Amino acid sequence: RYFFSLKPPWSEGLSCRTTPLLLIPGPGGARTSVYPSKAIIPRGGSQRVNCSISCDQKATFGLETELTKKEVDRGNNWKVFELSDVQEDISLLREKMVQSSHGIVWFPEHVELAPLPLWQPVGEDLNLSCQVSGGAPRDHLSVVLLRGEEELGRQPLGKGEPAEVRFTVQPRREDHGTSFSCRWELDLRSQGLELFQNTSAPRKLQTYVLPSTDPHLEAPTVVEVGSRWPVKCMLDGLFPASDAEVYLVLGDQRLETSITYHDYSVLAEAWIEGHEEEEGTKSLKCSVSLGNEIRKTRGSVIICFPALSGTLSPPEVSGWTTVTVECEAHAATVVTLNGAPAGPLGPRAQLQLNASAQDNGRGFSCSAELEVAELVVQKHQTLELRVLCRQLDQRVCLGKWTWQEGSEQTLKCEALGNPIPKLNCSRKGDGASLPIRDLRPVKREVAGTYLCRATSARGEVTREVVVNMLCECWSLGPGRDSELPLQVQGVQSLVGVLRSRMLYGQA
């Protein structure tokens, strides 16, 4: 009795079964044989089997099997049968007498690389698994692990369904983003056929490096209420740095962060603002995460010192009005005010003054100090007083000028006040303007009496200004003509001219 068994190479999802095949022996002790003794048959294909018997006489024998068969030729002691639609490996065996095997080629139905981890640390062992379903003959099947097109390892395909083959690799930085895959190879070149192979879908590997050190955090120890301070968090030695995530959290509030990436480092920057309602100690955390890991640094920030309040009451006054200057801060602070009378130090300082025109633009400086966490925090504020006035006095606009003709002079006349007045000086009689603030040689034509008028929203102030000019003329008395006013000197000059003409008979 003989048996055929088969596993299919080109179809999927079929199981292996044993199909009985009965070879009826000839008479007596005649020996039987089957040709070919070995064969590779494509699944679903056909195979011709020659059955013969060692008997010189005409013998009656046959082949019984569940497979589809057809007798295609015969002789006195032999017959040829064609077995069709072969779906399983066939093993023909007559106990103690004849053994014949007919195997098929079955390409693996499926090959897959098991899913990779989302992130893989550089330098740590990574176990990869290749799974192969089906395939025969198994002793000619092997599995290859590929990195891109590079072969990393090769193993024979064992038993099991599906069969699993494991490989171990140590990923590098340059493996980040590289594709890995599995390939089965069915090598039938020793059977006179070819090398068959197929590769699984690739899977990309993401590698990373996160140093064991914690991020470096730069932040102020104390933040004053009403102020704004920068915060920085940085970490070096990352790979790939651009995939790192950085968070800055103050208390339970995540800060709006600006992140800058470099080749192997990351920098996060944010601002801390002090609000009075948040006064107290706040935790500050910086977290850098990459891959499956996270690094954290913790600190604290003290938000303190409500805004220093300085007031002028009233802030804008007319001359000779009483003004109160006051500075006040947190109860635990020491406040000072320049010009304030001496007294016990505390969170409040005050000064009163009778404002005059000279106080316009005067500044008052408030300062406050608070000791927090062994640090002295200071805050300053400056107040400016505005005194509304108008003024045109002889200190800034002289009532009388006397100059030597031809000398270089600067005519000065300014109006003081708040708001600043508009000044105009015009000569009585002809309305000529007095050239103010110009350096020039003065001429006798400038002489005269001028009315200077200072005008602002506070009203108008006028002042009379007289300009005298000294010039060289014929003298009426030795050494005294220069002391005469311009009008007299002019007459003296005219008399000298007439006298000269009389001497030459021209008068």
Side-chain angles (χ1 to χ4, degrees):
R1 189 172 184 176
Y2 300 86
F3 297 92
F4 266 34
S5 63
L6 172 81
K7 283 190 179 178
W10 290 297
S11 63
E12 299 181 359
L14 295 178
S15 62
C16 175
R17 70 178 184 272
T18 301
T19 301
L21 179 72
L22 179 62
L23 181 61
I24 302 174
R31 292 178 301 167
T32 58
S33 63
V34 178
Y35 179 83
S37 61
K38 291 183 179 181
I40 299 294
I41 309 169
R43 185 180 182 185
S46 61
Q47 175 68 40
R48 290 192 176 188
V49 179
N50 188 319
C51 300
S52 61
I53 185 170
S54 60
C55 182
D56 294 336
Q57 301 176 6
K58 185 176 180 180
T60 300
F61 60 96
L63 180 68
E64 290 185 7
T65 178
E66 293 181 2
L67 299 174
T68 302
K69 69 173 182 176
K70 180 174 68 173
E71 183 179 316
V72 295
D73 202 0
R74 68 176 352 191
N76 288 335
N77 57 353
W78 59 270
K79 290 182 181 180
V80 176
F81 298 93
E82 183 174 75
L83 307 178
S84 59
D85 192 25
V86 179
Q87 298 291 334
E88 300 174 349
D89 283 346
I90 302 171
S91 178
L92 300 178
L93 175 63
R94 183 175 183 186
E95 192 172 349
K96 297 183 181 180
M97 296 183 66
V98 177
Q99 181 175 343
S100 174
S101 63
H102 293 238
I104 66 165
V105 175
W106 179 13
F107 292 159
E109 302 163 9
H110 183 68
V111 57
E112 181 182 17
L113 174 63
L116 303 178
L118 184 61
W119 287 94
Q120 173 65 27
V122 169
E124 292 189 11
D125 286 350
L126 172 62
N127 294 318
L128 302 175
S129 173
C130 295
Q131 296 179 346
V132 179
S133 300
R138 284 291 174 98
D139 56 350
H140 290 268
L141 265 172
S142 59
V143 178
V144 179
L145 177 66
L146 299 172
R147 177 171 57 200
E149 298 298 325
E150 178 188 2
E151 181 177 325
L152 296 181
R154 175 186 297 266
Q155 292 187 38
L157 183 64
K159 298 180 180 180
E161 196 59 41
E164 184 178 33
V165 178
R166 293 182 176 272
F167 298 91
T168 301
V169 297
Q170 283 192 340
R172 310 160 299 175
R173 287 193 182 190
E174 51 267 36
D175 290 333
H176 180 68
T178 300
S179 294
F180 287 75
S181 59
C182 299
R183 183 175 71 202
W184 60 257
E185 292 186 353
L186 182 58
D187 192 354
L188 298 177
R189 288 175 291 188
S190 62
Q191 305 297 318
L193 299 177
E194 304 176 29
L195 172 65
F196 302 95
Q197 55 186 212
N198 192 23
T199 305
S200 68
R203 295 188 185 273
K204 282 191 175 181
L205 180 65
Q206 295 189 112
T207 62
Y208 74 96
V209 175
L210 185 62
S212 58
T213 56
D214 292 329
H216 176 65
L217 181 62
E218 292 182 4
T221 303
V222 178
V223 173
E224 303 173 25
V225 170
S227 65
R228 192 166 180 256
W229 290 80
V231 178
K232 294 182 180 180
C233 179
M234 62 202 76
L235 183 62
D236 293 327
L238 294 164
F239 175 83
S242 57
D243 287 323
E245 294 183 354
V246 187
Y247 303 98
L248 281 166
V249 179
L250 179 65
D252 57 358
Q253 179 184 4
R254 182 171 170 179
L255 300 178
E256 184 175 344
T257 306
S258 172
I259 302 177
T260 304
Y261 297 101
H262 299 284
D263 291 340
Y264 300 105
S265 65
V266 63
L267 169 65
E269 298 176 284
W271 291 89
I272 295 178
E273 296 183 359
H275 300 286
E276 187 170 353
E277 61 272 15
E278 297 178 346
E279 186 177 5
T281 302
K282 299 287 184 180
S283 63
L284 179 64
K285 293 176 286 187
C286 175
S287 302
V288 179
S289 61
L290 180 61
N292 305 319
E293 300 181 72
I294 188 169
R295 300 287 182 265
K296 294 181 180 180
T297 297
R298 297 178 182 269
S300 61
V301 175
I302 300 175
I303 299 178
C304 68
F305 213 69
L308 174 63
S309 174
T311 58
L312 281 168
S313 180
E316 193 173 78
V317 299
S318 299
W320 308 112
T321 301
T322 300
V323 177
T324 300
V325 185
E326 188 174 70
C327 299
E328 188 174 4
H330 192 271
T333 59
V334 175
V335 175
T336 57
L337 170 64
N338 66 314
L345 297 178
R348 186 170 175 269
Q350 190 181 72
L351 167 67
Q352 286 189 333
L353 74 154
N354 195 16
S356 65
Q358 286 74 24
D359 291 320
N360 182 52
R362 179 177 173 182
F364 299 91
S365 177
C366 296
S367 299
E369 289 187 355
L370 177 66
E371 185 174 346
V372 180
E374 301 182 352
L375 295 174
V376 176
V377 181
Q378 295 182 335
K379 198 163 189 179
H380 305 279
Q381 185 178 0
T382 300
L383 307 173
E384 184 176 308
L385 177 64
R386 287 171 53 85
V387 180
L388 303 179
C389 61
R390 61 187 190 275
Q391 184 176 347
L392 191 62
D393 59 28
Q394 63 180 8
R395 289 178 299 174
V396 292
C397 189
L398 298 178
K400 180 179 179 181
W401 286 297
T402 301
W403 291 316
Q404 182 72 39
E405 182 184 16
S407 64
E408 288 192 346
Q409 302 292 339
T410 300
L411 306 180
K412 295 180 179 178
C413 184
E414 295 182 8
L416 301 180
N418 183 32
I420 298 175
K422 182 180 179 181
L423 179 65
N424 177 265
C425 295
S426 58
R427 189 162 55 192
K428 291 183 176 180
D430 60 1
S433 296
L434 181 66
I436 298 174
R437 290 185 295 273
D438 287 344
L439 176 64
R440 61 175 66 189
V442 293
K443 299 180 180 180
R444 65 185 66 185
E445 289 84 357
V446 178
T449 300
Y450 294 82
L451 184 64
C452 291
R453 181 179 287 106
T455 306
S456 73
R458 302 289 296 174
E460 181 179 279
V461 176
T462 60
R463 181 174 180 78
E464 193 172 271
V465 176
V466 178
V467 179
N468 293 321
M469 197 69 59
L470 302 178
C471 59
E472 295 182 0
C473 309
W474 288 88
S475 178
L476 295 178
R480 301 187 61 186
D481 56 332
S482 62
E483 298 178 2
L484 296 175
L486 179 62
Q487 292 84 351
V488 176
Q489 294 178 30
V491 172
Q492 186 183 40
S493 176
L494 177 60
V495 171
V497 171
L498 291 175
R499 183 181 296 172
S500 174
R501 289 184 176 180
M502 290 175 62
L503 290 174
Y504 289 89
Q506 298 176 355

